[in-house]
Amino acid sequence: MSALPKLTRFNDNVLSKYQIYNSIFITLPFDTIDNTGVLLPLFHKICEKGFQQGNNPTEIVEQFFAKYLDSSEEKNKKDLLFQFIQYIERQVVLFDAIEDAAFPIVNNMDGFGTLRNSKEIAILSDKKEELKKHLEDFKVRVVLTAHPTQFYPGSVLGIITDLDKAIQQDDLLLIKKLLAQLGKTPFYKKTKPTPYDEAISLIWYLENVFYHSVPKIYNYIQQHIYDGHPTENEIIDLGFWPGGDRDGNPFVTTQITLDVAEKLRQSILRSYYRDVKRLKRRFTFDGVQEILAQIEKRLYKHVIRSYAKVNFSQKILLEDLYEAREIVINNHDSLFIEELNDFINKVRIFGFHFATLDIRQDSRVHHQAFTQIVNDLLASGDTTFPENYHQLNEKDQINVLAVIKGNIDPTILSDKMSVSTIESIYALKTIQKRNGERGANRYIISNNQTALNVMQTFAMLNLCGFENELPVDVIPLFETVDDLENASDVMRTLYSNNTYRYHLSKRGDKQTIMLGFSDGTKDGGYLMANWGIFKAKEALTKISREFDIEVIFFDGRGGPPARGGGKTHQFYASLGPTIEDKEIQLTIQGQTISSNFGTLNSSQFNLEQLISSGIKNEVFTKDQLNDSHRTIIDDLAQTSYKTYVDFKNHPQFLPYLEQMSTLKYYAKTNIGSRPSKRSNSDTLDFSALRAIPFVGSWSQLKQNVPGFFGVGTALKKYEDADRFDEIVEFYNASDFFKTLLENSMMSLSKSFFGLTAYMADDEIFGEFWTLIYEEYKTTKRLLLKLTGHAELMENYPVGKASIEMRESIVLPLLTIQQFALKRIQELQKSEGNTEEIEVFEKMVMRSLFGNINASRNSA
């Protein structure tokens, strides 16, 4: 099968099977979807033909009603549109399940970018020892976040999993039953999930996917690269944000943080308990059986009975397992040793924490909370801070913050935010005591602007009773264009502080720094954000090496290219020697979790791609930008930045998002626990607007502005100056530049301006819509000219085919959404019936979900 072209494998195993199973789905009787299966294909054809003829969504919907439901009441027509929405949601699930089931067939699990491929290249290049040395301290950390870009409830995720297995086995009878179950299962959540609910949803992936795929990769490295010898490096770490990410989420309380950490602990111990029960069936001989029985008894106490006492740890468990292994090797001819080694590796990788729970808070919140803490301590007569602390300059304040210690009592604090901030740090201590240090040892400061932001957090940690060295990494997150440019100066100030430098020496001379793609793109546009982060990484690498510190970059990436997503592993493979790359750390969120890590095969494949990207960059090739290329991309980024900022400052920019997009409806959905903006103001404040609804709203319009706006204008500058050949040479010479533009092409390929072409005639927004469309056309034309392709994503035919099919499935959904938005605008202008407006608003919200899930990465 793998000998066939990849596109042929995709067509045979995904597209063809979707047509077959969808035809079965159409014939199934559902309680509330009687004629939908018959009418939806007809509506789909009218949508396709209507947009080809230049009709707007309202004309298309009304044409369909006139042809097939002319005599129906208005209520029946609306009901049918809601039924279409329900049906299309389930078609998306069906396509997801089929694509997941075909993953190992469509993708070569031993091909380019896999560990087997990397090992074979290393052997052929006589670089196996170099590869082994690289893997001794190279790590990949994927951090699961619950940002609201996917809404599948747990029941639907279960159906997808079962469908996946049934499709792989071609079990038609079970598939038919599961499709019937899918038709009857609610998709819409009546209430918002709590942060704890979100944590439970993501722990499902930890237990059912990562628990199996991560050790499988580690075992392969141990057996085939280290020839059976153990390596101290776990290679893959897992991180976790639900329950610890307080930034802009007032629903994350200290108790939720503690509950999530305990749930992570219980989940991993439960997994160990199941494994030990299986191991006991293999190791039935003297010496080993007794040890495993004792381990099983201990795990039972801690899992089934939720044993509260901390008298069991990763260290104790490993000591018992090592003893058992010695007995197996020395007394029992190493019988079944592979199974015991696999379990030992799991305990080494996952510990008693499963995934590290990161704590995150905004620097502005910290500053307010910290200021109040100082005031309260001074008012109580405490001498920790000098009385003139607030009058000191920043340098002197930092010197004070570096040396303070204490054990502050939260009950003496007068401000609620101060109390919750200090309590979250005490919670971190509690988690470390119960789950081990790796349970929670990272504190991230988002919107970090100054060294003082970091030192305030450092001081608050030291005010919470940590003895001797602080067992926590303080991680600044730089996001905006200005903050990225200032990042190296901030770190120089920190590195120059003797106390903070001593702290880093006790943390292995390592400093983790987080960089935010989402807010960087929102702030400065696509090219400037990516180039700004690249330059910031270079500057931070240089300053860190100057102080003999190994900097570790943690990338805040979303699913779409506009938020740092796209073909992520290609970006890491394209980094040169000027950027530190001992570790790859990135956030995984929304549909990216389910699409890239939702099954054992996809999880293994994509984790290996990330590991191999680091291997490629460090061991095999070094893709370094020369001075000419730097000059070009800097010029492109500056031109793009000016174009984007002018666009963002256009008087119609915010009104267009408010009135013509789905932006305000994100806040009304029950997708995630976190509010869609940081402030409680009724007016739209762009700085407080979160990147997810911002990018998502452009995606729902099928305009995807954050992924391309300004790129076309920047390229046209070189075309107009007869210097386009320089861009072509740059593109062909640099993997970084190539990946950057190819991801932009992905955003363009998911755009469809025919959907909103009616806006060109709008009295208020017509010119603004045309401005966007012209930039889209310019960008598309010049990217095709640059690549020499006739179509977007021509060199990724499978990705292109998948996108086209998904876009086709949701075309009726997009049409319904635009129809509903237009009706809302008309009713509001004429002061129409409030109840009718509410019906159409519900239609817009319901159509959000299917569009989001179909996009996989939402742009």
Side-chain angles (χ1 to χ4, degrees):
M1 180 66 73
S2 60
L4 294 172
K6 189 174 181 179
L7 182 59
T8 302
R9 302 198 301 271
F10 179 83
N11 289 336
D12 291 346
N13 293 278
V14 179
L15 295 187
S16 296
K17 284 190 175 182
Y18 174 74
Q19 299 299 341
I20 293 168
Y21 296 138
N22 189 49
S23 65
I24 296 172
F25 192 41
I26 285 172
T27 62
L28 293 175
F30 300 123
D31 294 339
T32 59
I33 316 179
D34 295 329
N35 298 318
T36 312
V38 176
L39 292 173
L40 181 56
L42 299 173
F43 181 52
H44 190 283
K45 285 188 179 297
I46 285 180
C47 288
E48 285 184 325
K49 190 174 181 181
F51 286 121
Q52 288 171 3
Q53 294 174 345
N55 296 336
N56 65 48
T58 301
E59 292 168 338
I60 290 169
V61 171
E62 289 177 349
Q63 181 185 352
F64 170 75
F65 285 154
K67 190 168 184 178
Y68 296 105
L69 293 170
D70 189 33
S71 60
S72 292
E73 297 177 2
E74 282 300 310
K75 182 181 181 303
N76 292 337
K77 293 177 181 178
K78 291 170 187 170
D79 288 345
L80 181 62
L81 293 180
F82 276 109
Q83 288 168 13
F84 281 164
I85 292 170
Q86 290 178 273
Y87 200 95
I88 294 166
E89 286 173 343
R90 288 154 177 79
Q91 284 182 312
V92 172
V93 170
L94 175 60
F95 191 80
D96 279 348
I98 293 170
E99 200 165 37
D100 288 345
F103 189 92
I105 300 172
V106 174
N107 298 278
N108 186 350
M109 299 296 288
D110 295 322
F112 183 78
T114 63
L115 283 173
R116 175 171 291 187
N117 175 256
S118 295
K119 181 203 73 173
E120 290 172 352
I121 292 174
I123 291 172
L124 290 172
S125 308
D126 196 25
K127 289 188 174 183
K128 187 177 179 182
E129 289 304 313
E130 195 174 339
L131 173 60
K132 288 167 68 174
K133 187 175 185 300
H134 171 67
L135 288 174
E136 284 175 5
D137 56 6
F138 175 77
K139 285 181 183 286
V140 167
R141 179 189 290 260
V142 293
V143 180
L144 306 185
T145 76
H147 292 339
T149 55
Q150 188 176 50
F151 85 106
Y152 288 147
S155 55
V156 175
L157 286 173
I159 295 172
I160 293 175
T161 301
D162 294 340
L163 261 177
D164 179 340
K165 294 176 182 176
I167 290 166
Q168 289 187 56
Q169 297 167 3
D170 287 323
D171 188 340
L172 193 59
L173 181 60
L174 180 56
I175 290 169
K176 191 171 182 178
K177 288 181 178 179
L178 289 170
L179 290 176
Q181 180 189 2
L182 191 65
K184 295 174 178 288
T185 302
F187 273 45
Y188 185 71
K189 295 177 180 177
K190 294 181 179 179
T191 58
K192 278 184 177 291
T194 66
Y196 186 76
D197 294 333
E198 292 171 332
I200 295 300
S201 296
L202 291 192
I203 287 172
W204 184 93
Y205 290 100
L206 292 178
E207 287 185 337
N208 292 281
V209 181
F210 289 100
Y211 183 72
H212 305 285
S213 62
V214 172
K216 187 175 182 180
I217 292 170
Y218 181 88
N219 293 342
Y220 180 88
I221 291 172
Q222 186 181 63
Q223 290 299 318
H224 298 281
I225 296 177
Y226 287 94
D227 303 317
H229 301 293
T231 171
E232 292 302 311
N233 182 21
E234 295 85 10
I235 298 173
I236 299 174
D237 283 333
L238 299 178
F240 205 76
W241 273 17
D245 183 9
R246 292 168 169 259
D247 180 15
N249 194 339
F251 307 112
V252 177
T253 63
T254 302
Q255 190 58 52
I256 280 182
T257 300
L258 291 168
D259 289 346
V260 169
E262 184 60 23
K263 185 64 180 178
L264 286 165
R265 182 178 188 273
Q266 292 294 315
S267 298
I268 190 59
L269 295 186
R270 187 185 304 111
S271 297
Y272 292 162
Y273 180 70
R274 288 192 291 261
D275 273 0
V276 168
K277 288 178 72 70
R278 284 192 287 268
L279 285 174
K280 282 181 64 185
R281 297 180 62 181
R282 292 284 179 264
F283 296 98
T284 53
F285 20 88
D286 287 344
V288 184
Q289 188 180 43
E290 290 81 0
I291 292 173
L292 292 178
Q294 178 63 27
I295 291 173
E296 181 187 21
K297 184 177 179 181
R298 274 182 156 170
L299 287 169
Y300 181 86
K301 283 183 179 180
H302 285 263
V303 176
I304 307 301
R305 296 183 179 176
S306 297
Y307 205 55
K309 292 182 180 178
V310 183
N311 60 346
F312 194 30
S313 66
Q314 178 191 26
K315 182 175 180 289
I316 294 171
L317 178 54
L318 282 173
E319 286 173 353
D320 288 345
L321 291 171
Y322 289 147
E323 181 183 350
R325 184 168 64 181
E326 285 299 309
I327 296 171
V328 173
I329 293 171
N330 296 327
N331 300 344
H332 302 291
D333 303 316
S334 297
L335 189 60
F336 296 122
I337 194 68
E338 297 84 2
E339 294 184 37
L340 183 57
N341 281 337
D342 175 67
F343 183 57
I344 289 172
N345 289 340
K346 285 177 178 175
V347 177
R348 289 187 64 250
I349 292 167
F350 301 119
F352 274 33
H353 65 287
F354 216 157
T356 300
L357 184 63
D358 289 348
I359 309 297
R360 183 172 79 129
Q361 184 56 281
D362 189 280
S363 66
R364 291 162 291 193
V365 174
H366 266 174
H367 180 72
Q368 292 176 9
F370 185 76
T371 300
Q372 191 58 48
I373 289 171
V374 174
N375 290 339
D376 287 341
L377 288 175
L378 290 173
S380 69
D382 189 282
T383 58
T384 301
F385 292 91
E387 291 187 6
N388 66 336
Y389 173 80
H390 291 309
Q391 285 71 51
L392 298 176
N393 60 39
E394 182 173 310
K395 181 180 178 181
D396 290 338
Q397 284 186 341
I398 288 174
N399 290 333
V400 170
L401 297 175
V403 297
I404 62 171
K405 283 275 189 179
N407 204 341
I408 193 170
D409 180 1
T411 61
I412 71 167
L413 302 176
S414 61
D415 177 65
K416 183 178 179 182
M417 184 54 69
S418 301
V419 172
S420 67
T421 301
I422 292 299
E423 284 182 343
S424 72
I425 295 173
Y426 279 115
L428 192 151
K429 286 183 66 179
T430 302
I431 294 166
Q432 287 196 357
K433 184 178 179 182
R434 188 155 174 80
N435 294 13
E437 184 185 312
R438 289 167 67 199
N441 61 2
R442 290 151 53 101
Y443 204 116
I444 301 162
I445 312 146
S446 53
N447 190 49
N448 196 97
Q449 298 178 339
T450 66
L452 187 63
N453 293 149
V454 176
M455 293 307 294
Q456 285 174 341
T457 305
F458 183 70
M460 282 192 283
L461 286 160
N462 280 311
L463 280 170
C464 291
F466 282 104
E467 300 294 332
N468 302 318
E469 285 81 38
L470 180 65
V472 180
D473 296 320
V474 185
I475 303 174
L477 165 53
F478 300 104
E479 300 178 83
T480 67
V481 172
D482 289 341
D483 291 344
L484 289 168
E485 290 179 351
N486 297 331
S488 61
D489 291 337
V490 170
M491 298 314 298
R492 178 179 289 279
T493 301
L494 293 171
Y495 294 159
S496 299
N497 184 278
N498 291 333
T499 307
Y500 189 79
R501 181 65 186 86
Y502 176 79
H503 164 68
L504 291 181
S505 72
K506 295 300 180 180
R507 302 298 293 167
D509 287 316
K510 295 181 178 182
Q511 171 69 57
T512 302
I513 298 174
M514 189 172 181
L515 303 165
F517 282 80
S518 298
D519 284 288
T521 304
K522 172 175 165 272
D523 180 51
Y526 180 72
L527 279 184
M528 177 57 84
N530 281 277
W531 178 234
I533 286 173
F534 188 94
K535 288 194 299 181
K537 284 185 175 182
E538 287 190 317
L540 290 165
T541 297
K542 183 178 180 181
I543 189 67
S544 298
R545 288 173 178 172
E546 181 183 325
F547 284 85
D548 294 321
I549 293 166
E550 181 185 308
V551 65
I552 298 166
F553 294 116
F554 177 22
D555 292 329
R557 293 180 178 272
R563 295 182 51 234
K567 297 188 177 298
T568 307
H569 61 274
Q570 291 183 359
F571 262 117
Y572 290 116
S574 70
L575 299 178
T578 56
I579 292 177
E580 197 70 74
D581 61 349
K582 286 289 180 65
E583 293 192 25
I584 290 175
Q585 298 191 9
L586 71 161
T587 53
I588 306 292
Q589 53 194 259
Q591 304 95 311
T592 311
I593 296 173
S594 59
S595 63
N596 289 4
F597 302 94
T599 67
L600 294 177
N601 286 316
S602 64
S603 175
Q604 179 186 339
F605 183 84
N606 285 296
L607 285 171
E608 286 192 19
Q609 292 287 322
L610 285 171
I611 294 171
S612 295
S613 68
I615 293 171
K616 177 179 182 292
N617 187 43
E618 182 64 27
V619 179
F620 299 135
T621 61
K622 289 286 187 182
D623 181 46
Q624 189 168 2
L625 299 176
N626 60 38
D627 291 342
S628 173
H629 294 159
R630 287 177 175 278
T631 301
I632 291 172
I633 194 169
D634 196 65
D635 185 44
L636 289 170
Q638 292 294 340
T639 303
S640 175
Y641 177 61
K642 183 181 184 308
T643 305
Y644 177 79
V645 170
D646 288 345
F647 171 69
K648 196 172 65 172
N649 291 333
H650 193 288
Q652 298 297 350
F653 182 81
L654 288 179
Y656 182 81
L657 277 175
E658 278 191 296
Q659 298 176 41
M660 306 301 280
S661 82
T662 57
L663 180 65
K664 62 184 177 184
Y665 298 99
Y666 268 83
K668 299 179 181 180
T669 61
N670 294 321
I671 297 176
S673 69
R674 195 170 68 169
S676 62
K677 55 184 180 178
R678 287 182 169 89
S679 70
N680 295 319
S681 172
D682 292 332
T683 58
L684 181 58
D685 177 4
F686 184 76
S687 63
L689 178 63
R690 291 197 171 277
I692 289 170
F694 174 70
V695 173
S697 297
W698 290 112
S699 174
Q700 295 281 322
L701 284 169
K702 306 312 293 181
Q703 294 174 5
N704 293 328
V705 159
F708 73 83
F709 201 92
V711 175
T713 298
L715 293 175
K716 191 172 185 299
K717 176 181 176 181
Y718 280 75
E719 183 186 49
D720 292 344
D722 290 328
R723 296 177 59 193
F724 202 73
D725 58 321
E726 296 176 37
I727 304 294
V728 174
E729 186 276 329
F730 185 13
Y731 176 83
N732 291 325
S734 168
D735 287 343
F736 169 74
F737 189 51
K738 181 178 291 186
T739 304
L740 187 65
L741 294 186
E742 285 179 346
N743 278 341
S744 187
M745 282 191 269
M746 183 188 291
S747 289
L748 291 171
S749 70
K750 293 185 178 183
S751 299
F752 174 47
F753 278 81
L755 179 72
T756 56
Y758 70 91
M759 295 182 186
D761 298 324
D762 189 272
E763 293 181 5
I764 299 173
F765 298 109
E767 288 185 14
F768 188 74
W769 182 91
T770 302
L771 174 69
I772 300 170
Y773 184 46
E774 289 301 322
E775 182 66 17
Y776 162 81
K777 288 194 298 182
T778 300
T779 307
K780 179 179 178 180
R781 177 180 68 80
L782 290 174
L783 286 177
L784 290 176
K785 178 181 178 179
L786 171 62
T787 58
H789 295 163
E791 296 178 324
L792 294 169
M793 294 186 67
E794 187 177 296
N795 53 334
Y796 295 102
V798 171
K800 177 179 170 61
S802 177
I803 288 171
E804 287 177 349
M805 190 63 206
R806 289 175 176 279
E807 296 297 308
S808 176
I809 291 171
V810 297
L811 182 64
L813 202 58
L814 293 163
T815 308
I816 292 169
Q817 185 182 81
Q818 284 298 315
F819 165 76
L821 283 168
K822 206 159 182 294
R823 289 291 295 128
I824 291 168
Q825 293 162 11
E826 292 167 355
L827 288 166
Q828 287 174 338
K829 286 179 182 177
S830 62
E831 297 184 357
N833 186 303
T834 303
E835 290 184 5
E836 192 173 8
I837 291 174
E838 289 176 356
V839 170
F840 284 114
E841 286 185 332
K842 183 181 177 182
M843 197 176 289
V844 172
M845 283 189 291
R846 288 301 312 277
S847 61
L848 278 171
F849 304 135
N851 290 333
I852 288 171
N853 289 316
S855 295
R856 284 282 192 175
N857 62 22
S858 290

